[in-house]
Amino acid sequence: LKPMNLLLLNQDATTRRLKVADFNSATRLGREIGCSGMLSARGTQLYAAPELRFGLEWNERVDVWACGLCIFFMARAQQPFNSASRQNARLLQQGRLPPVDWGVMSKPLINLVRQCLAVQMRDRPSPIELLEHCVFLDSERTARGTAAEGTCIAGVANSSVGSYPAVTSLASCGLLIHDFNNRYCSGMRRQSWHQPTMQDIAVRRYMHFEGRVHSQLQAWTS
């Protein structure tokens, strides 16, 4: 996954759909007919997860890393850091994310990208968990053109800031949320903690990345 392979299809005057192109050697995983196991590492190195770059064990979460880079690029029209830099490569090998200039990105969107760019693969959410992130709460309604009044662009903390035109593409893909800039995604905490669900795990991970893990919450299993 990389920005040049993400296409926006104009369905009508107000609706766009995100399409992934250039699957190249991609394959379906599983034991069914037409499926196979994981392939050898390949693809654009700038979007390769640390475990791929350094020859470690890897799984489908390498695509979550690439998604984080793509989302950041859509919001700021640039990479969060130069992964080709030797200094940044050393930081990644040490399990540390290179310094990132988040600019005016909103706190929920920063949280989403930080989760995707967790250097340790085990700390990165699975794709199915990532879809439970609060940034995506209103995306379905937005795609139908029924987003609630008062929603804001997820890419910026201040909607009046117009210095990052790429944010328009992010919003047109349905990534709109309510204004969570001064609080984390409280709207996600609706279900009982006594019956953990994928959404519960997503909330706990969100709180973990915000440094707000409650002492009574158990760690997620990765």
Side-chain angles (χ1 to χ4, degrees):
L1 293 174
K2 54 186 177 182
M4 67 178 62
N5 290 338
L6 301 179
L7 311 177
L8 285 177
L9 174 66
N10 289 321
Q11 291 189 305
D12 52 47
T14 59
T15 305
R16 293 180 180 178
R17 182 175 295 275
L18 181 66
K19 294 282 189 178
V20 179
D22 192 9
F23 283 86
N24 195 8
S25 57
T27 185
R28 228 177 131 185
L29 301 180
R31 298 181 179 179
E32 302 173 358
I33 298 176
C35 298
S36 66
M38 301 293 283
L39 296 172
S40 59
R42 57 190 75 183
T44 305
Q45 287 298 307
L46 286 177
Y47 291 87
E51 57 269 24
L52 277 177
R53 293 187 61 186
F54 305 127
L56 306 176
E57 291 186 2
W58 59 280
N59 59 22
E60 72 279 358
R61 298 186 194 198
V62 298
D63 286 335
V64 174
W65 172 275
C67 280
L69 295 177
C70 291
I71 293 172
F72 188 93
F73 187 89
M74 292 171 74
R76 301 216 50 194
Q78 65 184 32
Q79 290 296 320
F81 51 84
N82 180 12
S83 58
S85 161
R86 291 185 177 181
Q87 180 179 0
N88 288 341
R90 283 196 295 269
L91 290 175
L92 292 173
Q93 281 186 306
Q94 296 168 5
R96 298 159 56 194
L97 188 68
V100 176
D101 179 11
W102 300 103
V104 294
M105 290 173 61
S106 66
K107 289 179 65 176
L109 192 62
I110 292 174
N111 182 279
L112 174 68
V113 174
R114 286 181 61 208
Q115 289 192 35
C116 293
L117 298 184
V119 179
Q120 297 295 335
M121 183 180 66
R122 64 177 179 272
D123 294 332
R124 217 175 295 149
S126 64
I128 192 172
E129 179 193 331
L130 198 63
L131 291 175
E132 296 293 336
H133 194 282
C134 62
V135 165
F136 299 109
L137 282 179
D138 285 339
S139 61
E140 183 178 353
R141 285 190 298 168
T142 303
R144 297 196 306 262
T146 57
E149 183 179 355
T151 55
C152 65
I153 296 177
V156 293
N158 183 351
S159 58
S160 65
V161 177
S163 57
Y164 303 110
V167 173
T168 304
S169 296
L170 185 65
S172 65
C173 291
L175 299 187
L176 297 183
I177 58 172
H178 293 286
D179 188 1
F180 290 110
N181 291 323
N182 297 320
R183 65 186 187 277
Y184 57 92
C185 301
S186 58
M188 296 172 64
R189 299 176 296 161
R190 297 174 182 172
Q191 299 187 10
S192 170
W193 295 108
H194 300 293
Q195 295 179 337
T197 64
M198 186 61 69
Q199 188 181 60
D200 296 329
I201 296 174
V203 172
R204 296 179 196 185
R205 196 182 298 270
Y206 185 104
M207 296 172 66
H208 170 76
F209 275 84
E210 293 297 312
R212 300 178 180 180
V213 177
H214 195 281
S215 60
Q216 296 180 351
L217 297 182
Q218 298 180 355
W220 62 80
T221 56
S222 189

